[in-house]
């Protein structure tokens, strides 16, 4: 059953995030560049339930162009992951949110391309229109939490280049891969009250650069 986009749901998700035992990897991965993404929760299509915001990156970007992604990017000098995630939401989608809208943080995830990503769960309290920045975002999509929590939403496969499992998020006939799929999967597990780790979930080879 769909969660209502209301204060009761916000409190419930905040409590689940608070109960999650987060793992950090910063001291263990000093060579990686720090980045943050927002798992931004908003009202679903047609006012139905809760959805998370997923973007399709601009085809003109130098790296990971045209790929599915959560809003986010590299942390600026002296910037915390929370500050970076909120800044990126403003820059990419025109959403002005504050630290009071943050519900929690998930595990750090190291990428093959040299980043350490911190996922920040954010409640989109503003009713302002989402305005994608065309320099960075080709399109933005509301993915219903019902679809994220569906039993068949995720699958795992293997590749010759790695001994680690490759995760895939199934969305409208497409496969979304890690890191995005891994972070969404962990959030799904948090919603179920589970401390599931995703650090060992692999990315496809095309995302290694």
């Amino acid at each position: 059953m769909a969660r209502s986009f209301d204060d009761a749901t916000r409190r419930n998700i905040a409590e689940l995030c608070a109960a999650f035992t987060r793992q950090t990897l910063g001291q263990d991965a000093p060579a990686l560049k720090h980045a943050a993404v927002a798992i931004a929760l908003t009202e679903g299509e047609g006012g139905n339930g809760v959805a998370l915001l997923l973007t399709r990156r601009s085809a003109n970007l130098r790296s990971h162009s045209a790929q599915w992604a959560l809003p986010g990017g590299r942390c600026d000098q002296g910037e915390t992951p929370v500050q970076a995630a909120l800044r990126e939401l403003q820059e990419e989608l025109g959403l002005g949110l504050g630290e009071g809208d943050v519900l929690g943080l998930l595990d750090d995830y190291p990428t093959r391309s040299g980043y350490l990503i911190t996922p920040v769960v954010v409640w989109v309290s503003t009713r302002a229109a989402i305005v994608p920045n065309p320099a960075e975002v080709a399109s933005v999509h509301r993915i219903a939490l019902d679809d994220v929590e569906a039993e068949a939403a995720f699958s795992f496969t293997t590749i010759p280049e790695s001994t680690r499992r490759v995760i895939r998020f199934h969305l409208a006939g497409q496969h979304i891969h890690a890191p995005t799929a891994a972070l969404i999967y962990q959030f799904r597990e948090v919603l179920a009250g589970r401390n599931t780790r995703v650090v060992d979930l692999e990315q496809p080879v095309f995302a290694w650069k």
Side-chain angles (χ1 to χ4, degrees):
M1 188 172 74
R3 293 176 173 83
S4 300
F5 186 70
D6 55 25
D7 285 342
T9 297
R10 174 179 175 149
R11 289 193 301 271
N12 175 250
I13 295 177
E15 290 168 359
L16 290 167
C17 289
F20 174 71
T21 306
R22 167 173 139 78
Q23 289 188 346
T24 60
L25 299 175
Q27 293 181 344
D28 299 324
L32 297 181
K33 299 178 285 288
H34 288 261
V37 297
I39 298 178
L41 305 177
T42 188
E43 194 167 32
E45 294 286 355
N48 294 319
V50 182
L52 63 81
L53 295 176
L54 195 61
T55 70
R56 199 73 185 261
R57 290 168 57 84
S58 168
N60 297 321
L61 292 172
R62 287 182 297 177
S63 62
H64 307 296
S65 61
Q67 291 183 18
W68 291 97
L70 295 162
R74 187 170 178 176
C75 296
D76 288 343
Q77 183 68 32
E79 196 174 43
T80 68
V82 166
Q83 291 168 340
L86 294 175
R87 174 179 53 76
E88 291 287 348
L89 278 172
Q90 175 71 58
E91 293 177 0
E92 293 187 15
L93 303 181
L95 291 173
L97 301 172
E99 296 197 9
D101 296 308
V102 174
L103 304 185
L105 281 69
L106 305 186
D107 286 353
D108 291 340
Y109 181 90
T111 73
R112 289 280 192 172
S113 57
Y115 286 89
L116 186 66
I117 301 176
T118 300
V120 181
V121 183
V122 180
W123 189 264
V124 182
S125 58
T126 178
R127 295 291 181 174
I130 296 172
V131 183
N133 177 354
E136 299 187 52
V137 178
S139 59
V140 58
H141 307 263
R142 297 172 191 251
I143 311 303
L145 289 193
D146 275 1
D147 293 337
V148 171
E149 296 181 273
E151 185 175 350
F154 295 88
S155 65
F156 301 89
T157 188
T158 58
I159 55 175
E161 296 84 357
S162 177
T163 58
R164 297 158 55 188
R165 294 184 303 163
V166 174
I167 186 171
R168 301 179 297 189
F169 174 38
H170 304 282
L171 180 66
Q174 301 187 60
H175 288 160
I176 298 174
H177 297 89
T180 299
L183 306 182
I184 294 174
Y185 177 71
Q186 185 170 63
F187 180 61
R188 191 272 287 273
E189 294 292 280
V190 168
L191 292 177
R194 295 187 287 263
N195 285 336
T196 301
R197 304 302 166 197
V198 297
V199 66
D200 289 328
L201 294 180
E202 183 62 277
Q203 304 168 244
V205 174
F206 68 77
W208 287 17
K209 297 180 180 179

